[in-house]
Amino acid sequence: MKRSEALAHRIHAQQLDRAETARAITDADVFDFGVQDTGRDGASWALANRGVPVRDAAELEASPDVALAWTLRAAPHYYRRADLPEVLIATSPLSDQDAAKRVIGADKPLKEAGIPTLTGLTEVATQLRQVVTRPMAKGEVSTRLTKRLDAPYLRYCGACQATHSWEVPFRVGTLYAGLELEPGTSPPVLHRIASWPKRRPGPAPDPMAAPQSLQPIRNYLRFLGPATPNDVAAFLDSPVGEIKKHWPEDALAVSVDGRQGWVLGEIGEIDHDQELLRLLGGFDLFLQGKDRDVIVPDRAKHKALWPILGRPGAVLLGTEIVGELAAEDGWQGLHATPRPVDQPVRANPSAAGSRSGAAGRTSRPEAGRHRRTVMIISRREWSSRISLNRSRAVVRDHFPEGRP
């Protein structure tokens, strides 16, 4: 399999090549994996790029059919509300060793106190369930939780200038306690999930009992394959050995330009639109793959696309990332990417996942210089679809030589 074919497979599996049409707000396969809601309009933007007719974050937040919870990597993800009990099972650690890796440092004091990490997560979830009896802001929950926990569960936070529970166990413990996030709240507000099944708070004992469609290892291979156990482990913050123990027997081994990987789902020839244009948020699933050399082969571009703090987002054209997005105040539209003179690009309004009504314009190239393609989206059109009414998005000229 060629690299371009692997990326086309991911685009199709994630439904990034799907046109917008009337459909339910939950009609997107990526809900099985969770739609990460990090950054401005992260989840609603991701769904709009996958053909879901959601106009802005407020529409997604108001839907009774979805729910927001801290799950994988302690990040907020939207799921179908009906799936939440099984999501808890699917996203639970595979073992105590897995739990220790996922909580990122919080296992050390537990281990010193002779407390298994899974036991520690159960204790945090039990106390959270008792604390949150009504909608509460995170700060209030944290203050009350801290009073209930023993020393191995607490740490001094320099940023807060206070002692409180470790952050990752707190976050992942909320769903284990039957709690969800109220979308659109800052600071986050937590409340009990309605009609939550009676169960003991804490991680599920057997994550593999969850429906296969919700299991994270399978979904990584389904949406970001071909991939390796190391890729999946890095994505989940899990030990590689645990991922290998639970590797799907039906995963298909393939080679991508000589790199061995595995994938789930049918591998067939995809008639991919090379003029497909999508403006991806910084934490869009397409950019979350751990094989960044496959997504963008030129490592010199990686620092700009995947900085340590904050991610700018990217322009996807065909199967290639051809530019970076950045938001700044005070402008009226969106500029797309530079292209070589011999490879002009014309924005296809129907394919520009952001947006009907966009108009493509190409400047006249000077001799010996690159042709620059510019797509203009009015402030009104952009803000009505993505709610960036206070921002501008500019594709920075990081890729002057065309496709990376």
Side-chain angles (χ1 to χ4, degrees), residues 25-26 31 58-68 78-84 180 183 191 193-194:
I25 204 166
T26 55
F31 273 112
E59 182 178 350
L60 180 63
E61 293 163 4
S63 173
D65 299 323
V66 301
L68 186 64
Y78 274 99
Y79 297 92
R80 301 180 188 91
R81 179 167 294 281
D83 289 341
L84 277 184
E180 64 178 301
H191 66 257
I193 301 169

Side-chain angles (χ1 to χ4, degrees), residues 134-314:
R134 57 174 172 79
M136 288 186 184
K138 183 189 176 190
E140 181 181 0
V141 176
S142 179
T143 298
R144 295 191 177 202
L145 177 65
T146 298
K147 295 177 181 179
R148 289 172 166 265
L149 295 175
D150 294 331
Y153 297 90
L154 306 177
R155 67 183 293 265
Y156 179 76
C157 176
C160 299
Q161 297 292 297
T163 296
H164 55 65
S165 63
W166 286 76
E167 183 70 11
V168 173
F170 176 97
R171 289 193 177 207
V172 299
T174 56
L175 185 57
Y176 302 154
L179 308 177
E180 64 178 301
L181 292 161
E182 288 193 8
T185 56
S186 181
V189 172
L190 290 158
H191 66 257
R192 290 189 172 189
I193 301 169
S195 302
W196 189 245
K198 291 184 178 180
R199 65 179 304 276
R200 180 187 178 189
D206 182 13
M208 305 309 288
Q212 287 190 345
S213 62
L214 299 177
Q215 293 177 15
I217 296 176
R218 297 185 66 86
N219 276 330
Y220 192 98
L221 298 178
R222 174 183 170 193
F223 293 116
L224 291 167
T228 67
N230 293 66
D231 295 333
V232 180
F235 180 84
L236 297 177
D237 287 329
S238 295
V240 177
E242 287 297 322
I243 300 302
K244 289 181 177 180
K245 288 179 186 177
H246 297 86
W247 201 248
E249 293 182 357
D250 55 339
L252 178 65
V254 295
S255 176
V256 179
D257 289 345
R259 181 181 188 265
Q260 182 71 43
W262 287 262
V263 67
L264 284 176
E266 295 183 2
I267 297 292
E269 186 174 346
I270 297 173
D271 185 17
H272 185 68
D273 180 6
Q274 292 302 319
E275 292 191 352
L276 176 77
L277 178 63
R278 292 291 184 264
L279 310 176
L280 305 176
F283 290 86
D284 188 276
L285 183 59
F286 185 80
L287 298 175
Q288 295 269 35
K290 292 302 179 179
D291 53 352
R292 293 176 177 175
D293 289 346
V294 174
I295 302 170
V296 178
D298 187 349
R299 293 190 177 184
K301 312 288 196 304
H302 290 189
K303 186 176 181 180
L305 284 169
W306 293 286
I308 295 175
L309 296 177
R311 294 185 186 179

Side-chain angles (χ1 to χ4, degrees), residues 339-366:
R339 301 291 296 164
V341 174
D342 59 350
Q343 293 181 343
V345 176
R346 302 187 183 280
N348 182 347
S350 64
S354 314
R355 327 283 57 120
S356 59
R361 298 191 298 187
T362 304
S363 62
R364 180 173 298 175
E366 300 176 21

Side-chain angles (χ1 to χ4, degrees), residues 39-41 45 312 325-335 377-384 386-394:
R40 187 190 293 250
D41 308 317
W45 189 345
L325 295 177
E328 300 175 37
D329 289 337
W331 198 63
Q332 298 291 322
L334 176 97
H335 287 263
I377 298 175
S378 71
R379 189 186 191 95
R380 179 178 300 174
E381 173 66 9
W382 181 260
S383 65
S384 70
I386 293 298
S387 297
L388 291 181
N389 55 317
R390 294 185 302 278
S391 299
R392 72 170 181 176
V394 180

Side-chain angles (χ1 to χ4, degrees), residues 51-62:
V52 177
V54 55
R55 295 188 62 82
D56 53 26
E59 182 178 350
L60 180 63
E61 293 163 4

